[in-house]
């Protein structure tokens, strides 16, 4: 009731949202989206929870050793009551069929390129793709069918990526900030609210 004037999920709560990888961006985004009572969330990952994941991702220390998708499914259920679909596997185009929104939270540029290409092929309405380092992040929202070429201008290979110090990849408030911002974008896209196109800053970039 307290948020229904801002976002009432009735009518859109069953829209299919697929989150690719359940790390810094994927786990926090999944939590915030589930808190809005979106009820058709699929999360794909094939990694397990490690100690360092508990510092800035939605995992408990008791989750260490569990597969990320299973631990995240349990945590989201415990916190929100929403039952997400978990897929313990590498990314595959079959997993995004019939999706309304795909959130690409992979930390591999080749995977991101494949996701955008597949979404364009399947004519999926919206992709949210994000990049994060240090205390900064970028978020790209695009219709992949019409905006793939423009997005490709922002792409670079894994080999061309700037090497990051292993102690400077993430911090809790940045991962939770990006998760919250992505949830905001999901809300706007579900409501087809054009205000999303006005949201730009040095940290947030949308493809128009």
């Amino acid at each position: 009731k307290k948020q229904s004037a801002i976002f009432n999920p009735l009518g859109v709560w069953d829209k299919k949202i697929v989150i690719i990888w359940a790390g810094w961006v994927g786990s926090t985004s999944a939590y915030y989206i589930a808190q809005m009572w979106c009820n058709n969330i699929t999360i794909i990952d094939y990694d397990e929870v490690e100690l360092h994941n508990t510092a800035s991702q939605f995992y408990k220390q008791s989750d260490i050793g569990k597969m990320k998708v299973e631990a995240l499914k349990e945590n989201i259920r415990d916190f929100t009551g929403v039952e997400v679909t978990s897929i313990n596997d590498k990314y595959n185009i079959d997993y995004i069929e019939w999706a309304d929104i795909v959130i690409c939270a992979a930390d591999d540029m080749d995977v991101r390129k494949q996701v955008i290409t597949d979404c364009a092929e399947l004519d999926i309405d919206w992709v949210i793709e994000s990049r994060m380092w240090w205390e900064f992040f970028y978020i790209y929202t695009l219709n992949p069918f019409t905006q793939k070429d423009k997005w490709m201008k922002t792409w670079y290979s894994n080999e061309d990526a700037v090497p990051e110090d292993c102690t400077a990849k993430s911090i809790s408030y940045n991962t939770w900030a990006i998760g919250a911002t992505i949830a905001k974008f999901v809300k706007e896209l579900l409501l087809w609210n054009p205000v999303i196109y006005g949201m730009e800053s040095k940290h947030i970039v949308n493809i128009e």
Side-chain angles (χ1 to χ4, degrees), residues 171-183:
I171 192 166
S172 59
Y173 52 77
N174 206 45
T175 59
W176 287 94
I178 193 171
T181 306
I182 287 174

Side-chain angles (χ1 to χ4, degrees), residues 38-49:
C38 294
N39 209 39
N40 189 0
I41 303 169
T42 297
I43 304 167
I44 306 163
D45 202 309
Y46 61 96
D47 202 2
E48 67 178 37
V49 180

Side-chain angles (χ1 to χ4, degrees), residues 53-191:
N53 299 142
T54 63
S56 55
Q57 301 177 25
F58 190 42
Y59 299 109
K60 309 182 296 293
Q61 291 208 0
S62 59
D63 293 328
I64 294 171
K66 297 179 182 179
M67 300 311 297
K68 281 189 172 180
V69 288
E70 294 305 320
L72 187 56
K73 180 176 183 174
E74 293 173 6
N75 291 341
I76 289 175
R77 182 198 304 127
D78 291 346
F79 274 80
T80 71
V82 171
E83 192 75 30
V84 304
T85 298
S86 60
I87 298 176
N88 183 27
D89 198 0
K90 294 184 178 181
Y91 167 74
N92 186 297
I93 188 174
D94 294 339
Y95 296 142
I96 61 172
E97 282 191 308
W98 312 112
D100 294 287
I101 298 173
V102 171
I103 298 171
C104 183
D107 57 4
D108 183 300
M109 294 303 292
D110 292 332
V111 173
R112 297 180 202 197
K113 181 179 179 181
Q114 189 61 56
V115 169
I116 298 296
T117 301
D118 291 345
C119 287
E121 179 182 331
L122 295 172
D123 199 14
I124 288 171
D125 287 333
W126 293 106
V127 176
I128 300 175
E129 188 261 321
S130 61
R131 304 170 196 181
M132 180 186 68
W133 74 105
W134 285 73
E135 295 178 295
F136 303 93
F137 61 79
Y138 286 84
I139 299 174
Y140 297 92
T141 60
L142 65 147
N143 176 287
F145 185 75
T146 61
Q147 298 172 309
K148 175 189 170 186
D149 291 343
K150 189 169 185 178
W151 178 87
M152 280 299 302
K153 295 177 182 178
T154 75
W155 183 84
Y156 48 85
S157 68
N158 290 323
E159 291 73 21
D160 291 335
V162 177
E164 294 177 318
D165 189 312
C166 64
T167 61
K169 290 187 175 181
S170 68
I171 192 166
S172 59
Y173 52 77
N174 206 45
T175 59
W176 287 94
I178 193 171
T181 306
I182 287 174
K184 160 73 172 174
F185 284 7
V186 167
K187 185 265 288 187
E188 302 295 351
L189 293 174
L190 289 175
L191 299 180

